[in-house]
Amino acid sequence: MNDNSRILNSVRNIFTGFLGQLITLITGFVCRTIFIQCLKTEYLGISGLFTNILSVLSLAELGVGGAINYALYKPLAEKNEKEVSEYMNFYSKAYTSIGIFIFIVGICLLPFLKYLIKDTPNIKENLNLIYIIYLSNTSIGYFFSYKSALINADQRNYIVSLANYARVILQAIVQIVILLLTKNFLLYLIIEFVFSITENLIIAYITNRLYPFIKTNKKYKLEKSKKNKLIADIRDLMINKLSGVLVNNTDNLIITYFSGLATVGLCSNYNLLINIINTTLKQFFDGIQASLGNLNAVESKEKRELYFDITNFINFWIFGFCTICIILLIDDVINLWIGNRFILDSSIKYILAINFYIVGMQNSVWSYKVTSGIFKKGRFILAIMAIINLALSIILGKKMGLFGILFATTIARITTNVWYDPYIVYKLIFNKSPKKYFYKYMKNILIISLTFSLTSYIVSIISFINNIYLKCLLKLIICIIVPNICFLIIFYKNNDLKFIKNYIFNILRNRIKNSIKINRFYIKNKN
């Protein structure tokens, strides 16, 4: 099992995540561009719709993964192979059953597809066949994913990331070639299916090599008390998962019903760009999550709160900066990328950016909540959020179209988990009032608003430039420099920023010292 420090594991995971995400971003952009050029807009809508349907079907997972990942932190830290094997044996059986269940229910939904798609898309392929390929890809993944969860829980998710990024790059290359040569959407999907299975098999092989005891300890079963505790955690996470899926994955269904697949396709281009940013930034939190699990399992509440404040500060900085960039740059990126006919009304980019910021600012809270095992708290508030979102999406969707559906999500989040989750984390983990957190949250919104206004004003000064490429380059430079300078000036004396600066300087200083020692040793022995 993993013997490295939390910091080393986190650095490896974060570095691998960011580097791999950069490569994925480039290949994803190229592949998406070729996709749009070779196929109709309806195909984007079909892809978004079926992905959301299968995300809803994934409710069958019922929080098993999250509960077992939390359960694995302690036995992995204690190197208890027997207990790890017990959980993995349970995990294996549960996920195999889930994969089979999802496939069967997915097949049963086939006759109802025509009711979800308001206007039949003008494509040559059979919609049912396309759906079955998507369904197969999703359900088969459950037969293997429990093994990657063990690697992630052991603070080694950089291994899973490397395998994933290799798959993404190779898959994109093959898909691009196929699209250019054949313009065949079915072949495009089959390639994705084949590469997905290959990646799962490779990760399964690596897991067996790293943890050979899980193959030899198949006889171990969870004790009744542990199983009851696990089932209770799964039950609590089930409501969380259900609520999250209803909030995040029903929008495309409602957009399809009110506005058609073409609008889903247009919106999916914006979502693709924002999801690339979100996924890239999440590499930081994915990289430290297992280490936070280790921290929350063994450290004092004072130290846990210290690192929460630091991660939350980093969270604000990167998501605040990116929110400003999304509003000011995303239309230009869409225009340069695929043309101005794919640009939506300007109100859409604002509401998408607001939703991006709201979700992003929950990262620290969610990481602490999950790694501390407080699954039970907040399950009903998430159910309320899902109900509010669904009801408002239908009401506002009729009146305001796409903007109304997206705005409904904003209202649902603000009125529920935006305030409730931090409250629970402070009350149960730090035994404190969350007043400090909410004060910082409101202050940060004011800071972002003022910073955005200043950046937007400076950007407007160069509006006279006619050359679109020069104009976009200058806007990008302004958006990178101005917000970060504003943040540096505002937070210059902030304790969290001082801690981060001192930590980085200490690492660099130690590296330089070690390098000098090695050089002196080399010169001395050479002479």
Side-chain angles (χ1 to χ4, degrees), residues 474-490:
L474 290 175
K475 285 180 72 173
L476 176 63
I477 293 171
I478 292 169
C479 289
I480 290 174
I481 293 174
V482 175
N484 285 299
I485 288 178
C486 289
F487 289 168
L488 277 172
I489 293 171
I490 294 169

Side-chain angles (χ1 to χ4, degrees), residues 297-312:
V298 298
E299 299 291 355
S300 65
K301 64 180 180 181
E302 289 78 17
K303 190 167 185 178
R304 282 181 278 169
E305 185 180 2
L306 169 66
Y307 281 94
F308 174 83
D309 289 339
I310 293 166
T311 55
N312 200 48

Side-chain angles (χ1 to χ4, degrees), residues 51-52 99 111 147 178 214 226 319 431 452 462 507:
T51 299
N52 276 266
K147 290 196 174 181
I178 289 297
I214 64 174
K226 292 179 183 176
F319 275 89
N431 297 325
F452 168 75
I462 64 168
I507 291 176

